[in-house]
Amino acid sequence: MSSQPPADPRGAIETVFRLESPRVIAAATRIVRDIGIAEELAQDALVAALEQWPRDGVPDNPGAWLVTTARRRAVDLVRRRENYARKLAEIGRDLETTVPAQEPADPDGIDDDLLRLVFTACHPVLSAEARTALTLRLLGGLSTAEIARAFLTPEPTVAQRIVRAKRTLATRNVAFEVPSGPDREARLGSVLDVIYLIFNEGYAATTGDDWLRPALCEDALRLARQLAALMPKEPEAHGLASLLEFQASRTASRTGPDGEPILLKDQNRRRWNRMLLARGVDALARADAVATGVPGPYVLQATIAACHAHAHTYEDTDWRAIATLYGLLAVRAPSPVVELNRAVAVSMADGPAPALEIVDALAAEPALRDYHLLPSVRGDLLARLGRTAEARTEFARAAALARNERERRLLRRRADSPTS
């Protein structure tokens, strides 16, 4: 234990639990084989921390303390069950001491509880929406409100999906495992989507005071790397890994000294992480090497990210190629958000006028009704067309819709000075 209790032990505990709860839940799930019960055990570990840490101080490794506490309680629970002997034989006698390898050389030897949790929560007995919502809740540590925001879906709907998903997994006795063969391939799309959404919430948080949540990005990137190792012949797995490597390479340049967002055009590209850029290039090359037919959505997005990575300056970016790639992406994975991104690329390749036509056509999309980036993009296009008063109105509307405080401040500044 640390020698002195922290000045604000409750705040420290809440922070640690928010970061470590996915690992705690995954470790408990491996033992009890029930996600709902595992969540309760994780909460028990939190209560124990609230009781002990203010008195004894925060442990040197608080995450390990929480995992160990939840794991011990899980083992105690199994021992109290009538089928204890069978369960104990199934899970082995070394549960309390074994530490899973993080990135083993043998792809099929991956023993990572977080990855097991992703595949379990993405079981086909659940709807696609339920799989994603549940995994974001368990692994991403996102609140129901944050998930609803990411889905552009009402909060009560998301809450119901999560409750029903946990109940279904328990009643159907879904195994806590990384599946093999066709079953693994059948779950791949959901797993890719979930990892991507976890990364995005860390890369540009939808709510809260901080724009970046680095721990979420790190977890998602590690899971993407492991998934690519697990499925070396799947181009989309390599495509996702490549995309996240490229995105993560910009992290240090995306915020200023006070945590304020820095947009892509204003970033210092010398601060982009060269090692992650190289990893992104390598992963994209692996995707291309095993690809057959038309590229998938993640390979296309990784190719777009590569275009940005290869440009020495914002002005050097091949915007026409990016606009073309977004056009292909709109065919492979059509969505209003993809169209909005295509509009930005078109504005840089062909000017703001044709891009504004694309954006205005999206105004009636129900999914974008409360999406702050729609008026934000529209405001930028109007400002570039010299329609300053209209641009100011759009930026003010975007600020009112934004849920992240850092982003809200940036949009308010744009409203005050649209042409800056």
Side-chain angles (χ1 to χ4, degrees):
M1 289 287 188
S2 59
S3 58
Q4 294 292 332
D8 179 18
R10 180 173 291 273
I13 293 166
E14 290 176 351
T15 298
V16 169
F17 188 75
R18 178 174 60 82
L19 295 176
E20 299 293 342
S21 62
R23 293 181 178 84
V24 179
I25 294 169
T29 302
R30 186 177 186 183
I31 299 172
V32 299
R33 300 298 201 265
D34 186 302
I35 288 174
I37 294 174
E39 279 195 289
E40 294 175 5
L41 292 169
Q43 290 294 327
D44 288 346
L46 173 61
V47 171
L50 289 168
E51 291 173 349
Q52 296 181 38
W53 294 5
R55 180 187 68 236
D56 302 331
V58 177
D60 293 332
N61 191 337
W65 190 98
L66 289 168
V67 167
T68 300
T69 300
R71 184 180 284 150
R72 286 173 177 166
R73 295 188 180 213
V75 171
D76 288 342
L77 179 63
V78 171
R79 283 174 177 156
R80 290 197 299 269
R81 292 175 175 173
E82 293 181 353
N83 60 353
Y84 161 70
R86 180 178 63 79
K87 287 283 187 179
L88 188 60
E90 178 184 321
I91 65 176
R93 296 180 178 275
D94 60 345
L95 284 170
E96 293 186 282
T97 58
T98 299
V99 178
Q102 290 204 352
E103 292 192 47
D106 177 9
D108 287 316
I110 287 180
D111 183 20
D112 185 281
D113 285 343
L114 287 178
L115 198 58
R116 293 173 188 266
L117 190 57
V118 173
F119 272 96
T120 301
C122 289
H123 196 280
V125 298
L126 304 177
S127 69
E129 294 83 2
R131 295 173 212 163
T132 308
L134 177 62
T135 313
L136 286 174
R137 182 76 184 95
L138 296 176
L139 270 93
L142 274 64
S143 68
T144 304
E146 289 171 328
I147 298 169
R149 181 71 173 173
F151 274 127
L152 305 177
T153 303
E155 188 174 339
T157 301
V158 173
Q160 290 175 1
R161 286 175 184 168
I162 293 172
V163 171
R164 290 170 182 166
K166 288 188 287 188
R167 186 185 304 129
T168 299
L169 292 175
T171 57
R172 299 288 290 272
N173 293 318
V174 171
F176 183 64
E177 64 179 2
V178 175
S180 59
D183 192 19
R184 182 190 296 176
E185 295 174 4
R187 299 190 212 178
L188 177 63
S190 291
V191 172
L192 292 171
D193 291 345
V194 164
I195 294 173
Y196 185 48
L197 284 170
I198 291 173
F199 183 90
N200 276 350
E201 182 59 31
Y203 194 67
T206 54
T207 61
D209 295 329
D210 297 322
W211 200 39
L212 293 176
R213 297 171 65 177
L216 287 183
C217 291
E218 290 168 6
D219 272 347
L221 183 55
R222 184 174 60 81
L223 287 170
R225 289 170 180 169
Q226 288 188 337
L227 191 62
L230 188 67
M231 307 185 74
K233 296 182 180 179
E234 176 51 60
E236 280 291 85
H238 293 300
L240 176 65
S242 173
L243 174 62
L244 300 195
E245 301 282 7
F246 282 130
Q247 298 289 72
S249 72
R250 306 176 198 162
T251 300
S253 66
R254 296 186 70 246
T255 55
D258 298 325
E260 69 277 9
I262 299 177
L263 300 179
L264 178 62
K265 65 184 179 65
D266 299 320
Q267 289 174 17
N268 180 355
R269 298 187 176 216
R270 289 190 297 274
R271 299 191 66 197
W272 288 6
N273 187 305
R274 298 297 162 187
M275 182 189 72
L276 293 179
L277 288 172
R279 291 188 67 128
V281 171
D282 289 344
L284 187 56
R286 286 192 293 272
D288 291 339
V290 298
T292 57
V294 180
Y298 288 109
V299 172
L300 286 171
Q301 290 181 76
T303 307
I304 291 170
C307 288
H308 289 295
H310 291 315
H312 294 294
T313 67
Y314 186 75
E315 292 72 23
D316 290 338
T317 306
D318 189 347
W319 289 107
R320 195 165 299 282
I322 291 176
T324 300
L325 288 165
Y326 269 120
L328 294 173
L329 183 60
V331 174
R332 294 286 280 126
S335 83
V337 174
V338 170
E339 274 297 285
L340 188 61
N341 288 330
R342 186 173 75 87
V344 174
V346 168
S347 77
M348 299 303 297
D350 300 321
L356 186 60
E357 294 180 9
I358 298 173
V359 172
D360 286 346
L362 295 171
E365 287 284 348
L368 298 184
R369 182 179 57 188
D370 297 322
Y371 190 49
H372 68 286
L373 292 182
L374 178 63
S376 174
V377 170
R378 192 169 190 275
D380 184 68
L381 298 175
L382 289 168
R384 289 167 58 189
L385 288 168
R387 295 159 62 175
T388 306
E390 295 172 81
R392 184 175 287 112
T393 299
E394 290 296 301
F395 283 126
R397 178 168 166 257
L401 290 173
R403 301 280 292 277
N404 182 277
E405 183 57 34
R406 298 286 186 180
E407 202 165 11
R408 188 181 295 124
R409 292 175 192 170
L410 173 64
L411 290 166
R412 284 172 179 162
R413 288 197 297 271
R414 294 297 309 272
D416 292 338
S417 182
T419 59
S420 62

mmCIF file of all heavy atoms in Angstrom, residues 315-349:
data_model
loop_
_atom_site.group_PDB
_atom_site.id
_atom_site.type_symbol
_atom_site.label_atom_id
_atom_site.label_comp_id
_atom_site.label_asym_id
_atom_site.label_seq_id
_atom_site.Cartn_x
_atom_site.Cartn_y
_atom_site.Cartn_z
ATOM 1 N N GLU A 315 -2.305 21.384 -46.488
ATOM 2 C CA GLU A 315 -2.536 21.813 -47.868
ATOM 3 C C GLU A 315 -2.064 20.775 -48.877
ATOM 4 O O GLU A 315 -2.550 20.728 -50.015
ATOM 5 C CB GLU A 315 -1.829 23.149 -48.131
ATOM 6 C CG GLU A 315 -2.427 24.338 -47.375
ATOM 7 C CD GLU A 315 -2.144 24.311 -45.885
ATOM 8 O OE1 GLU A 315 -1.148 23.664 -45.478
ATOM 9 O OE2 GLU A 315 -2.915 24.931 -45.118
ATOM 10 N N ASP A 316 -1.101 19.933 -48.492
ATOM 11 C CA ASP A 316 -0.574 18.910 -49.401
ATOM 12 C C ASP A 316 -1.476 17.678 -49.495
ATOM 13 O O ASP A 316 -1.215 16.786 -50.313
ATOM 14 C CB ASP A 316 0.813 18.438 -48.929
ATOM 15 C CG ASP A 316 1.871 19.513 -49.112
ATOM 16 O OD1 ASP A 316 1.661 20.420 -49.946
ATOM 17 O OD2 ASP A 316 2.898 19.458 -48.410
ATOM 18 N N THR A 317 -2.499 17.630 -48.685
ATOM 19 C CA THR A 317 -3.366 16.445 -48.638
ATOM 20 C C THR A 317 -4.039 16.222 -49.989
ATOM 21 O O THR A 317 -4.510 17.166 -50.626
ATOM 22 C CB THR A 317 -4.441 16.623 -47.554
ATOM 23 O OG1 THR A 317 -3.814 16.929 -46.302
ATOM 24 C CG2 THR A 317 -5.265 15.353 -47.405
ATOM 25 N N ASP A 318 -4.102 14.969 -50.408
ATOM 26 C CA ASP A 318 -4.762 14.614 -51.666
ATOM 27 C C ASP A 318 -6.262 14.490 -51.412
ATOM 28 O O ASP A 318 -6.811 13.397 -51.283
ATOM 29 C CB ASP A 318 -4.194 13.295 -52.200
ATOM 30 C CG ASP A 318 -4.675 12.987 -53.617
ATOM 31 O OD1 ASP A 318 -5.625 13.642 -54.085
ATOM 32 O OD2 ASP A 318 -4.101 12.071 -54.246
ATOM 33 N N TRP A 319 -6.934 15.641 -51.359
ATOM 34 C CA TRP A 319 -8.350 15.671 -51.004
ATOM 35 C C TRP A 319 -9.227 15.014 -52.067
ATOM 36 O O TRP A 319 -10.274 14.442 -51.747
ATOM 37 C CB TRP A 319 -8.806 17.118 -50.772
ATOM 38 C CG TRP A 319 -8.244 17.688 -49.501
ATOM 39 C CD1 TRP A 319 -7.259 18.620 -49.394
ATOM 40 C CD2 TRP A 319 -8.624 17.344 -48.171
ATOM 41 N NE1 TRP A 319 -6.995 18.880 -48.072
ATOM 42 C CE2 TRP A 319 -7.828 18.112 -47.308
ATOM 43 C CE3 TRP A 319 -9.563 16.471 -47.635
ATOM 44 C CZ2 TRP A 319 -7.940 18.027 -45.917
ATOM 45 C CZ3 TRP A 319 -9.685 16.373 -46.250
ATOM 46 C CH2 TRP A 319 -8.879 17.147 -45.406
ATOM 47 N N ARG A 320 -8.805 15.074 -53.307
ATOM 48 C CA ARG A 320 -9.604 14.441 -54.361
ATOM 49 C C ARG A 320 -9.613 12.917 -54.179
ATOM 50 O O ARG A 320 -10.650 12.264 -54.330
ATOM 51 C CB ARG A 320 -9.070 14.821 -55.739
ATOM 52 C CG ARG A 320 -10.051 14.511 -56.871
ATOM 53 C CD ARG A 320 -9.646 15.213 -58.153
ATOM 54 N NE ARG A 320 -9.626 16.664 -57.989
ATOM 55 C CZ ARG A 320 -10.705 17.427 -57.992
ATOM 56 N NH1 ARG A 320 -11.906 16.876 -58.132
ATOM 57 N NH2 ARG A 320 -10.601 18.727 -57.866
ATOM 58 N N ALA A 321 -8.470 12.356 -53.834
ATOM 59 C CA ALA A 321 -8.417 10.915 -53.567
ATOM 60 C C ALA A 321 -9.278 10.559 -52.354
ATOM 61 O O ALA A 321 -9.989 9.546 -52.345
ATOM 62 C CB ALA A 321 -6.979 10.473 -53.340
ATOM 63 N N ILE A 322 -9.227 11.407 -51.325
ATOM 64 C CA ILE A 322 -10.019 11.145 -50.116
ATOM 65 C C ILE A 322 -11.507 11.226 -50.431
ATOM 66 O O ILE A 322 -12.303 10.405 -49.952
ATOM 67 C CB ILE A 322 -9.614 12.133 -49.000
ATOM 68 C CG1 ILE A 322 -8.199 11.819 -48.519
ATOM 69 C CG2 ILE A 322 -10.600 12.085 -47.843
ATOM 70 C CD1 ILE A 322 -7.659 12.786 -47.492
ATOM 71 N N ALA A 323 -11.905 12.205 -51.243
ATOM 72 C CA ALA A 323 -13.317 12.313 -51.628
ATOM 73 C C ALA A 323 -13.764 11.066 -52.388
ATOM 74 O O ALA A 323 -14.873 10.551 -52.175
ATOM 75 C CB ALA A 323 -13.538 13.565 -52.470
ATOM 76 N N THR A 324 -12.898 10.568 -53.264
ATOM 77 C CA THR A 324 -13.222 9.345 -54.006
ATOM 78 C C THR A 324 -13.362 8.150 -53.069
ATOM 79 O O THR A 324 -14.285 7.332 -53.197
ATOM 80 C CB THR A 324 -12.138 9.060 -55.050
ATOM 81 O OG1 THR A 324 -12.062 10.160 -55.969
ATOM 82 C CG2 THR A 324 -12.433 7.779 -55.813
ATOM 83 N N LEU A 325 -12.454 8.050 -52.105
ATOM 84 C CA LEU A 325 -12.500 6.948 -51.145
ATOM 85 C C LEU A 325 -13.770 7.012 -50.293
ATOM 86 O O LEU A 325 -14.382 5.977 -50.000
ATOM 87 C CB LEU A 325 -11.259 6.972 -50.252
ATOM 88 C CG LEU A 325 -9.956 6.547 -50.936
ATOM 89 C CD1 LEU A 325 -8.747 6.949 -50.096
ATOM 90 C CD2 LEU A 325 -9.950 5.041 -51.188
ATOM 91 N N TYR A 326 -14.163 8.231 -49.905
ATOM 92 C CA TYR A 326 -15.414 8.363 -49.142
ATOM 93 C C TYR A 326 -16.612 7.971 -50.005
ATOM 94 O O TYR A 326 -17.600 7.432 -49.495
ATOM 95 C CB TYR A 326 -15.580 9.784 -48.600
ATOM 96 C CG TYR A 326 -14.995 9.960 -47.228
ATOM 97 C CD1 TYR A 326 -13.981 10.886 -46.984
ATOM 98 C CD2 TYR A 326 -15.456 9.207 -46.144
ATOM 99 C CE1 TYR A 326 -13.432 11.054 -45.729
ATOM 100 C CE2 TYR A 326 -14.912 9.369 -44.884
ATOM 101 C CZ TYR A 326 -13.899 10.291 -44.676
ATOM 102 O OH TYR A 326 -13.359 10.441 -43.427
ATOM 103 N N GLY A 327 -16.524 8.231 -51.302
ATOM 104 C CA GLY A 327 -17.591 7.790 -52.192
ATOM 105 C C GLY A 327 -17.699 6.268 -52.219
ATOM 106 O O GLY A 327 -18.803 5.711 -52.181
ATOM 107 N N LEU A 328 -16.556 5.578 -52.260
ATOM 108 C CA LEU A 328 -16.558 4.117 -52.198
ATOM 109 C C LEU A 328 -17.077 3.631 -50.849
ATOM 110 O O LEU A 328 -17.834 2.650 -50.777
ATOM 111 C CB LEU A 328 -15.141 3.584 -52.430
ATOM 112 C CG LEU A 328 -14.535 3.824 -53.813
ATOM 113 C CD1 LEU A 328 -13.065 3.389 -53.834
ATOM 114 C CD2 LEU A 328 -15.334 3.075 -54.877
ATOM 115 N N LEU A 329 -16.679 4.315 -49.778
ATOM 116 C CA LEU A 329 -17.129 3.932 -48.447
ATOM 117 C C LEU A 329 -18.640 4.101 -48.314
ATOM 118 O O LEU A 329 -19.314 3.288 -47.655
ATOM 119 C CB LEU A 329 -16.403 4.780 -47.390
ATOM 120 C CG LEU A 329 -16.697 4.457 -45.924
ATOM 121 C CD1 LEU A 329 -16.320 3.011 -45.593
ATOM 122 C CD2 LEU A 329 -15.944 5.424 -45.006
ATOM 123 N N ALA A 330 -19.183 5.135 -48.948
ATOM 124 C CA ALA A 330 -20.628 5.366 -48.896
ATOM 125 C C ALA A 330 -21.397 4.229 -49.569
ATOM 126 O O ALA A 330 -22.550 3.955 -49.211
ATOM 127 C CB ALA A 330 -20.966 6.696 -49.563
ATOM 128 N N VAL A 331 -20.770 3.564 -50.520
ATOM 129 C CA VAL A 331 -21.393 2.410 -51.174
ATOM 130 C C VAL A 331 -21.273 1.164 -50.304
ATOM 131 O O VAL A 331 -22.224 0.396 -50.146
ATOM 132 C CB VAL A 331 -20.747 2.165 -52.554
ATOM 133 C CG1 VAL A 331 -21.287 0.875 -53.180
ATOM 134 C CG2 VAL A 331 -21.002 3.349 -53.475
ATOM 135 N N ARG A 332 -20.082 0.959 -49.699
ATOM 136 C CA ARG A 332 -19.836 -0.241 -48.893
ATOM 137 C C ARG A 332 -20.512 -0.176 -47.535
ATOM 138 O O ARG A 332 -20.973 -1.195 -47.014
ATOM 139 C CB ARG A 332 -18.324 -0.438 -48.691
ATOM 140 C CG ARG A 332 -17.556 -0.748 -49.941
ATOM 141 C CD ARG A 332 -17.807 -2.177 -50.409
ATOM 142 N NE ARG A 332 -17.009 -3.133 -49.662
ATOM 143 C CZ ARG A 332 -17.471 -4.193 -49.026
ATOM 144 N NH1 ARG A 332 -18.760 -4.445 -49.023
ATOM 145 N NH2 ARG A 332 -16.679 -5.022 -48.385
ATOM 146 N N ALA A 333 -20.554 1.012 -46.935
ATOM 147 C CA ALA A 333 -21.148 1.171 -45.600
ATOM 148 C C ALA A 333 -21.898 2.499 -45.548
ATOM 149 O O ALA A 333 -21.450 3.451 -44.900
ATOM 150 C CB ALA A 333 -20.063 1.113 -44.529
ATOM 151 N N PRO A 334 -23.024 2.594 -46.237
ATOM 152 C CA PRO A 334 -23.736 3.873 -46.322
ATOM 153 C C PRO A 334 -24.238 4.352 -44.972
ATOM 154 O O PRO A 334 -24.774 3.577 -44.182
ATOM 155 C CB PRO A 334 -24.909 3.549 -47.268
ATOM 156 C CG PRO A 334 -25.079 2.068 -47.197
ATOM 157 C CD PRO A 334 -23.720 1.507 -46.952
ATOM 158 N N SER A 335 -24.022 5.624 -44.712
ATOM 159 C CA SER A 335 -24.534 6.253 -43.488
ATOM 160 C C SER A 335 -24.482 7.762 -43.654
ATOM 161 O O SER A 335 -23.654 8.277 -44.415
ATOM 162 C CB SER A 335 -23.723 5.831 -42.259
ATOM 163 O OG SER A 335 -22.558 6.606 -42.129
ATOM 164 N N PRO A 336 -25.331 8.499 -42.947
ATOM 165 C CA PRO A 336 -25.287 9.962 -43.026
ATOM 166 C C PRO A 336 -23.950 10.537 -42.577
ATOM 167 O O PRO A 336 -23.504 11.559 -43.101
ATOM 168 C CB PRO A 336 -26.423 10.394 -42.099
ATOM 169 C CG PRO A 336 -27.337 9.225 -42.005
ATOM 170 C CD PRO A 336 -26.453 8.026 -42.118
ATOM 171 N N VAL A 337 -23.305 9.885 -41.605
ATOM 172 C CA VAL A 337 -22.027 10.395 -41.109
ATOM 173 C C VAL A 337 -20.948 10.259 -42.187
ATOM 174 O O VAL A 337 -20.115 11.154 -42.351
ATOM 175 C CB VAL A 337 -21.617 9.654 -39.822
ATOM 176 C CG1 VAL A 337 -20.214 10.074 -39.385
ATOM 177 C CG2 VAL A 337 -22.628 9.927 -38.711
ATOM 178 N N VAL A 338 -20.963 9.159 -42.927
ATOM 179 C CA VAL A 338 -20.016 9.001 -44.029
ATOM 180 C C VAL A 338 -20.242 10.092 -45.074
ATOM 181 O O VAL A 338 -19.285 10.679 -45.601
ATOM 182 C CB VAL A 338 -20.146 7.605 -44.668
ATOM 183 C CG1 VAL A 338 -19.341 7.524 -45.968
ATOM 184 C CG2 VAL A 338 -19.661 6.525 -43.703
ATOM 185 N N GLU A 339 -21.496 10.382 -45.385
ATOM 186 C CA GLU A 339 -21.804 11.438 -46.347
ATOM 187 C C GLU A 339 -21.316 12.792 -45.851
ATOM 188 O O GLU A 339 -20.822 13.619 -46.627
ATOM 189 C CB GLU A 339 -23.311 11.482 -46.607
ATOM 190 C CG GLU A 339 -23.798 10.541 -47.674
ATOM 191 C CD GLU A 339 -23.198 10.867 -49.034
ATOM 192 O OE1 GLU A 339 -23.616 11.851 -49.670
ATOM 193 O OE2 GLU A 339 -22.275 10.125 -49.467
ATOM 194 N N LEU A 340 -21.438 13.033 -44.549
ATOM 195 C CA LEU A 340 -20.966 14.298 -43.985
ATOM 196 C C LEU A 340 -19.451 14.404 -44.130
ATOM 197 O O LEU A 340 -18.918 15.458 -44.496
ATOM 198 C CB LEU A 340 -21.376 14.391 -42.513
ATOM 199 C CG LEU A 340 -21.128 15.727 -41.815
ATOM 200 C CD1 LEU A 340 -21.908 16.850 -42.492
ATOM 201 C CD2 LEU A 340 -21.498 15.636 -40.339
ATOM 202 N N ASN A 341 -18.750 13.309 -43.873
ATOM 203 C CA ASN A 341 -17.295 13.315 -44.055
ATOM 204 C C ASN A 341 -16.920 13.492 -45.526
ATOM 205 O O ASN A 341 -15.931 14.164 -45.855
ATOM 206 C CB ASN A 341 -16.708 12.004 -43.523
ATOM 207 C CG ASN A 341 -16.731 11.931 -42.007
ATOM 208 O OD1 ASN A 341 -16.653 12.947 -41.337
ATOM 209 N ND2 ASN A 341 -16.844 10.729 -41.472
ATOM 210 N N ARG A 342 -17.703 12.888 -46.405
ATOM 211 C CA ARG A 342 -17.448 13.061 -47.838
ATOM 212 C C ARG A 342 -17.608 14.526 -48.225
ATOM 213 O O ARG A 342 -16.835 15.055 -49.051
ATOM 214 C CB ARG A 342 -18.401 12.187 -48.659
ATOM 215 C CG ARG A 342 -18.097 12.203 -50.160
ATOM 216 C CD ARG A 342 -18.951 11.196 -50.918
ATOM 217 N NE ARG A 342 -20.325 11.644 -51.057
ATOM 218 C CZ ARG A 342 -20.772 12.417 -52.054
ATOM 219 N NH1 ARG A 342 -19.926 12.831 -52.996
ATOM 220 N NH2 ARG A 342 -22.038 12.768 -52.124
ATOM 221 N N ALA A 343 -18.591 15.190 -47.630
ATOM 222 C CA ALA A 343 -18.810 16.607 -47.932
ATOM 223 C C ALA A 343 -17.585 17.441 -47.565
ATOM 224 O O ALA A 343 -17.206 18.362 -48.301
ATOM 225 C CB ALA A 343 -20.044 17.117 -47.182
ATOM 226 N N VAL A 344 -16.958 17.129 -46.437
ATOM 227 C CA VAL A 344 -15.756 17.864 -46.027
ATOM 228 C C VAL A 344 -14.650 17.672 -47.060
ATOM 229 O O VAL A 344 -13.984 18.635 -47.463
ATOM 230 C CB VAL A 344 -15.286 17.392 -44.636
ATOM 231 C CG1 VAL A 344 -13.947 18.044 -44.285
ATOM 232 C CG2 VAL A 344 -16.330 17.729 -43.577
ATOM 233 N N ALA A 345 -14.460 16.435 -47.517
ATOM 234 C CA ALA A 345 -13.425 16.166 -48.516
ATOM 235 C C ALA A 345 -13.740 16.861 -49.833
ATOM 236 O O ALA A 345 -12.847 17.440 -50.478
ATOM 237 C CB ALA A 345 -13.279 14.656 -48.727
ATOM 238 N N VAL A 346 -15.006 16.843 -50.230
ATOM 239 C CA VAL A 346 -15.417 17.514 -51.462
ATOM 240 C C VAL A 346 -15.161 19.016 -51.354
ATOM 241 O O VAL A 346 -14.729 19.664 -52.326
ATOM 242 C CB VAL A 346 -16.902 17.226 -51.765
ATOM 243 C CG1 VAL A 346 -17.426 18.154 -52.867
ATOM 244 C CG2 VAL A 346 -17.094 15.768 -52.172
ATOM 245 N N SER A 347 -15.401 19.574 -50.189
ATOM 246 C CA SER A 347 -15.192 21.020 -50.005
ATOM 247 C C SER A 347 -13.730 21.397 -50.213
ATOM 248 O O SER A 347 -13.423 22.489 -50.715
ATOM 249 C CB SER A 347 -15.650 21.454 -48.614
ATOM 250 O OG SER A 347 -14.711 21.089 -47.620
ATOM 251 N N MET A 348 -12.824 20.495 -49.821
ATOM 252 C CA MET A 348 -11.410 20.780 -49.993
ATOM 253 C C MET A 348 -10.952 20.520 -51.424
ATOM 254 O O MET A 348 -10.037 21.179 -51.915
ATOM 255 C CB MET A 348 -10.589 19.927 -49.018
ATOM 256 C CG MET A 348 -10.903 20.182 -47.550
ATOM 257 S SD MET A 348 -10.682 21.920 -47.065
ATOM 258 C CE MET A 348 -8.935 22.124 -47.366
ATOM 259 N N ALA A 349 -11.595 19.563 -52.092
ATOM 260 C CA ALA A 349 -11.197 19.230 -53.468
ATOM 261 C C ALA A 349 -11.835 20.160 -54.487
ATOM 262 O O ALA A 349 -11.184 20.590 -55.447
ATOM 263 C CB ALA A 349 -11.563 17.781 -53.784
#
